[in-house]
Amino acid sequence: LQQARLPKKEGNKIEIHLPSTYIKTLQIAPLILLPFIENAFKYGINMDGPCFVNFRIEITGTDLTLTVSNSISSRPIEIEGNNTGLKNTIKRLKLLYPGKYTLQQTNTDAEYTTLLTLKLKF
């Protein structure tokens, strides 16, 4: 839906990379990845200038790795909120995956990146 909404301009790009194979017995908590994806669109899409959003999901053994990166607009973003979605997701990760996840978030002037690794359950 976001690809259809984004103006067709040079420099606007949404990339999605998903694993071609997966193990059907591995389980992940419902909607645990969604807030990271939503935030990339919320803060990474710029209707006036070039922007990008990239998603990559990889599965190695029982480890799932989600990498999300998005551009940061040079103009100030006026979005109300206080990161409630991310705060709640981190609480859920602590409860559902204690000691079985890593979360790294990096922020430069031009790009925001989230790297989440989860040990999936059978």
Side-chain angles (χ1 to χ4, degrees):
L1 291 174
Q2 287 290 346
Q3 283 178 320
R5 185 176 155 261
L6 189 63
K8 304 286 186 235
K9 294 181 183 177
E10 187 174 326
N12 289 353
K13 194 174 192 180
I14 297 175
E15 290 187 9
I16 303 168
H17 301 277
L18 301 172
S20 57
T21 60
Y22 59 93
I23 301 169
K24 292 181 181 181
T25 57
L26 293 177
Q27 297 178 1
I28 186 169
L31 305 175
I32 198 84
L33 305 179
L34 189 59
F36 300 110
I37 295 167
E38 286 176 337
N39 275 6
F41 283 116
K42 184 175 182 179
Y43 297 104
I45 296 297
N46 181 354
M47 294 298 189
D48 301 325
C51 60
F52 68 89
V53 176
N54 298 324
F55 305 103
R56 177 176 296 277
I57 294 177
E58 298 172 323
I59 298 176
T60 306
T62 60
D63 291 344
L64 179 140
T65 302
L66 169 69
T67 307
V68 179
S69 59
N70 59 270
S71 55
I72 296 176
S73 175
S74 58
R75 62 182 172 79
I77 299 174
E78 296 178 18
I79 298 175
E80 292 184 25
N82 52 7
N83 292 326
T84 304
L86 284 181
K87 289 176 184 176
N88 288 339
T89 301
I90 292 169
K91 287 179 185 177
R92 287 184 67 213
L93 286 168
K94 289 177 181 178
L95 289 170
L96 298 170
Y97 298 93
K100 296 181 181 176
Y101 79 94
T102 60
L103 177 62
Q104 299 173 344
Q105 296 171 304
T106 56
N107 188 355
T108 66
D109 289 338
E111 184 175 336
Y112 189 86
T113 303
T114 299
L115 177 63
L116 172 67
T117 303
L118 291 173
K119 179 74 71 180
L120 297 179
K121 302 172 184 179
F122 281 100

